[in-house]
């Protein structure tokens, strides 16, 4: 029986912090495999040991398989947790980890190839008789051939990275006129983000809801689902608000989708945490993809079920976890997660990088924060601009929505702009409150920048005082009063 004493983390940001915390509670030391750009981060300060695996460019650091393997070995780790993104769904990496005598905390390379590769997964689902969105998953990646296939499917068509996720390498084709440029762009982005330019095509369902099921498999071959999440609020095909459970499912639909999720995971001989994603439209559901990793939104499942999925991953990788149906309880209450991005909501969401002058996440019942940066850290332009996740739990969905709005208003981030005002607008919208939003919700109602609210005299005074303190002296009073909106100010 394995018993890890030190685990390497091949990732960064808030997910690295999440894994470090789980390891600490289990008495396991950690080795953070980081890039040169991530020295001034929370995970760097929290890890037992740190090893730099390369420069800021992801291809030379977080996507560099030999560098991560060598780093894990040099750090004395027995296992590697890949987090999400980067190499987390890379079968070659999982295989290399195992060949190096380490344990990959996740599914086997064979399961990743069968399910993590979106094209192979759809072939498997077809064999299992699961409903699929019409599309093209062929090997011919010539752009002209892909355009011909898109025309057969009928526009609008969506292009996706075969090895991808998280909205990266995804483009919406509305006509043949723009197809060539967008397909090439998707292939380039897929190569950059996932190390493979392979893409596939799907018919774009324009009134769909995004529903996913958390699945977990153990070493005995037993696969269970841990109920559902709804992630219909997406911008540029990337989720920004998630909740558990979905307000859109009947008991019968939940049962049928859960059975389908377990069926595809069982066919792939799945072990560890994974997610089966579906599109739901007009009462019919279609398999979208399987993510063979931990999800960004896993905390909402943990909140309604009272489980710790990261600890379960580690226990399963050690081989000493026997999955027990009795451990899966009925969901209790409702949980919502919002992703906090460093971006300007008043200028179309352009990235906002720089020094975090002050960060504060006020604690309280039913509040949970997962973040990768503290006051004094710097948000760089090299990676995804998500800086934190805010998660709430309450007795029911209306109370959870109101609690999330309160928590977002209480949260403080000075130094960069964030999307907090944007999130509050979304949570307050009648369609979100009613639970009737679809994947086009953002496009329909929030396609333009928010109008920046005018500041009150009190806010101006507070901002001027904060700026004065940051600049460190009364001698700056005159300048602060004349221009209180220096680079340190961020309105929420």
């Amino acid at each position: 029986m394995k018993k890890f004493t030190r685990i390497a983390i091949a990732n960064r940001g808030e997910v690295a912090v999440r894994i470090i915390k789980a390891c600490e509670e289990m008495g396991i030391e950690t080795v953070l495999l980081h890039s040169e750009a991530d020295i001034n981060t929370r995970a760097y300060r929290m890890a037992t040991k740190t090893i730099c695996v390369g420069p800021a460019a992801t291809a030379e650091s977080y996507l560099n398989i030999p560098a991560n393997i060598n780093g894990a070995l040099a750090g004395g780790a027995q296992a590697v947790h890949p987090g999400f993104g980067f190499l987390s769904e890379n079968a070659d990496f999982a295989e290399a980890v195992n060949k190096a005598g380490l344990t990959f905390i996740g599914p086997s390379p064979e399961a990743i190839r069968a399910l993590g590769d979106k094209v192979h997964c759809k072939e498997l689902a077809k064999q299992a008789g699961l409903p699929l969105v019409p599309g093209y998953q062929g090997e011919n990646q010539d752009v002209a051939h892909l355009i011909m296939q898109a025309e057969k499917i009928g526009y609008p068509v969506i292009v996706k990275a075969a090895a991808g996720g998280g909205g990266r390498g995804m483009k919406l084709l509305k006509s043949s006129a723009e197809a060539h440029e967008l397909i090439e762009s998707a292939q380039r982005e897929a190569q950059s983000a996932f190390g493979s330019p392979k893409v596939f095509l799907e018919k774009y369902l324009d009134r769909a809801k995004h529903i996913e099921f958390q699945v977990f498999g153990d070493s005995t071959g037993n696969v269970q689902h841990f109920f559902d999440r709804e992630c219909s609020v997406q911008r540029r095909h990337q989720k920004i608000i998630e909740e558990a459970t979905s307000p859109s499912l009947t008991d019968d639909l939940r049962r049928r989708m859960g059975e389908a999720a377990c069926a595809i995971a069982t066919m792939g001989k799945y072990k560890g945490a994974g997610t089966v994603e579906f599109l739901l439209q007009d009462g019919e559901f279609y398999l979208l993809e399987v993510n063979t990793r931990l999800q960004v939104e896993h905390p909402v499942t943990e909140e309604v079920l009272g489980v710790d999925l990261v600890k379960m991953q580690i226990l399963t990788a050690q081989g000493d976890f026997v999955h027990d149906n009795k451990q899966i309880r009925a969901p209790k209450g409702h949980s919502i997660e919002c992703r906090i991005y460093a971006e300007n909501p008043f200028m179309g969401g352009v990235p906002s990088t720089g020094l975090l002058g002050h960060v504060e996440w006020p604690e309280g019942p039913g509040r949970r924060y997962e973040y990768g940066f503290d006051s004094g850290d710097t948000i760089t332009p090299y990676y995804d601009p998500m800086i934190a996740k805010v998660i709430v739990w309450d007795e029911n969905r209306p109370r959870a929505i109101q609690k999330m709005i309160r928590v977002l208003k209480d949260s403080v981030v000075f130094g960069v702009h964030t999307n907090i005002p944007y999130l509050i607008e979304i949570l307050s919208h009648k369609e979100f409150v009613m639970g009737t939003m679809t994947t086009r919700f953002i496009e329909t109602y929030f396609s333009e920048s928010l109008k920046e609210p005018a500041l009150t005299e009190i806010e101006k005074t507070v901002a001027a005082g904060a700026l004065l303190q940051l600049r460190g002296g009364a001698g700056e009073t005159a300048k602060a009063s004349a221009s209180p909106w220096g680079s340190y100010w961020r309105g929420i």
Side-chain angles (χ1 to χ4, degrees):
M1 187 74 72
K2 297 175 184 175
K3 189 70 176 178
F4 304 139
T5 58
R6 182 174 287 190
I7 291 174
I9 301 167
N11 217 297
R12 62 179 301 280
E14 54 85 22
V15 68
V17 172
R18 170 74 180 90
I19 298 164
I20 291 171
K21 284 186 172 182
C23 288
E24 285 178 344
E25 291 179 11
M26 299 174 76
I28 300 172
E29 295 182 336
T30 51
V31 182
L32 182 70
L33 307 175
H34 66 91
S35 76
E36 292 173 355
D38 276 337
I39 290 177
N40 293 318
T41 63
R42 193 162 182 244
Y44 183 89
R45 291 186 289 274
M46 290 177 64
T48 310
K49 189 178 181 64
T50 59
I51 292 181
C52 183
V53 295
T58 55
E60 300 177 54
S61 52
Y62 292 110
L63 290 175
N64 186 330
I65 292 177
N68 281 276
I69 299 291
N70 292 336
L73 290 171
Q78 297 99 38
V80 177
H81 196 307
F84 42 72
F86 295 131
L87 295 170
S88 62
E89 294 185 276
N90 188 309
D92 292 340
F93 180 56
E95 201 164 62
V97 168
N98 295 336
K99 283 184 178 177
L102 304 166
T103 298
F104 183 77
I105 299 179
S108 67
E110 294 76 20
I112 295 175
R113 289 195 174 97
L115 297 175
D117 184 294
K118 316 307 177 192
V119 173
H120 290 163
C121 178
K122 287 182 182 296
E123 289 299 320
L124 204 61
K126 194 181 297 181
Q127 295 172 25
L130 268 64
L132 294 171
V133 179
Y136 170 77
Q137 300 92 35
E139 293 296 324
N140 190 337
Q141 294 291 297
D142 181 74
V143 174
H145 181 75
L146 291 171
I147 293 174
M148 183 177 70
Q149 293 299 324
E151 290 172 349
K152 283 184 180 178
I153 296 167
Y155 294 105
V157 168
I158 197 159
V159 186
K160 297 181 178 180
R168 302 294 303 276
M170 199 177 292
K171 304 291 178 186
L172 179 63
L173 311 182
K174 295 180 180 176
S175 69
S176 57
E178 60 186 9
H180 196 281
E181 180 183 347
L182 291 178
I183 289 172
E184 283 191 332
S185 174
Q187 290 174 327
R188 285 194 301 271
E189 194 171 329
Q191 175 66 51
S192 173
F194 309 109
S196 168
K198 189 175 181 180
V199 297
F200 65 98
L201 309 177
E202 278 182 351
K203 177 71 178 174
Y204 181 63
L205 301 180
D206 60 358
R207 290 176 290 106
K209 281 179 163 288
H210 182 116
I211 311 292
E212 62 187 33
F213 276 73
Q214 176 74 55
V215 295
F216 205 100
D218 69 12
S219 55
T220 69
N222 182 26
V223 173
Q224 298 290 329
H225 77 75
F226 280 38
F227 292 91
D228 49 286
R229 300 184 284 255
E230 175 152 351
C231 314
S232 297
V233 181
Q234 302 177 7
R235 182 186 55 182
R236 297 189 286 272
H237 316 298
Q238 188 170 46
K239 306 160 190 170
I240 54 176
I241 297 178
E242 304 98 343
E243 56 187 311
T245 56
S246 166
S248 308
L249 301 187
T250 63
D251 289 345
D252 178 63
L253 197 51
R254 178 168 284 121
R255 178 187 58 76
R256 289 192 287 125
M257 293 176 76
E259 289 174 353
C262 288
I264 187 69
T266 301
M267 284 192 71
K269 299 178 181 178
Y270 200 81
K271 186 180 76 173
T275 302
V276 182
E277 299 191 340
F278 299 97
L279 290 177
L280 174 68
Q281 183 167 305
D282 300 328
E284 300 293 331
F285 65 90
Y286 308 89
L287 178 71
L288 188 59
E289 61 187 31
V290 178
N291 292 139
T292 57
R293 55 176 166 79
L294 192 68
Q295 292 279 99
V296 177
E297 56 270 28
H298 76 276
V300 293
T301 294
E302 294 182 326
E303 290 298 312
V304 297
L305 290 178
V307 298
D308 187 320
L309 292 169
V310 177
K311 286 184 182 177
M312 286 176 60
Q313 283 185 302
I314 295 170
L315 290 168
T316 302
Q318 288 183 158
D320 59 355
F321 178 76
V322 178
H323 203 77
D324 184 349
N325 287 343
K326 294 178 182 176
Q327 293 182 335
I328 305 174
R329 295 173 289 181
K332 181 183 177 184
H334 198 85
S335 183
I336 299 175
E337 174 183 286
C338 286
R339 304 186 187 192
I340 310 299
Y341 289 103
E343 62 182 34
N344 190 336
F346 308 112
M347 295 182 65
V350 296
S352 177
T353 58
L355 177 69
L356 286 171
H358 181 67
V359 181
E360 188 173 337
W361 309 106
E363 299 291 340
R367 298 180 175 201
R368 172 175 168 179
Y369 304 101
E370 296 195 352
Y371 52 97
F373 302 93
D374 294 312
S375 301
D377 290 343
T378 299
I379 306 297
T380 68
Y382 304 115
Y383 311 112
D384 184 287
M386 187 175 75
I387 58 176
K389 300 184 306 195
V390 176
I391 304 104
V392 301
W393 179 92
D394 215 313
E395 294 176 2
N396 54 50
R397 189 170 186 269
R399 288 175 65 108
I401 293 173
Q402 288 308 309
K403 178 175 282 185
M404 178 59 86
I405 291 172
R406 182 70 261 160
V407 172
L408 291 175
K409 288 181 176 178
D410 289 347
S411 301
V412 178
V413 181
F414 278 99
V416 299
H417 288 272
T418 75
N419 64 333
I420 288 177
Y422 190 72
L423 293 167
I424 293 173
E425 289 288 325
I426 292 171
L427 291 161
S428 305
H429 194 279
K430 64 179 181 180
E431 279 211 15
F432 183 84
V433 172
M434 293 170 62
T436 55
M437 64 285 181
T438 70
T439 54
R440 293 192 65 188
F441 174 72
I442 295 287
E443 178 186 342
T444 304
Y445 299 106
F446 297 92
S447 60
E448 298 183 1
S449 299
L450 295 185
K451 183 179 179 182
E452 191 159 15
L455 297 169
T456 66
E457 289 304 314
I458 293 176
E459 289 174 326
K460 290 178 183 178
T461 302
V462 171
L467 182 61
L468 181 61
Q469 284 192 339
L470 288 167
R471 286 181 171 172
E476 297 289 339
T477 303
K479 279 191 275 186
S481 298
S483 179
W485 324 125
S487 59
Y488 292 108
W489 170 253
R490 186 208 67 78
I492 62 173

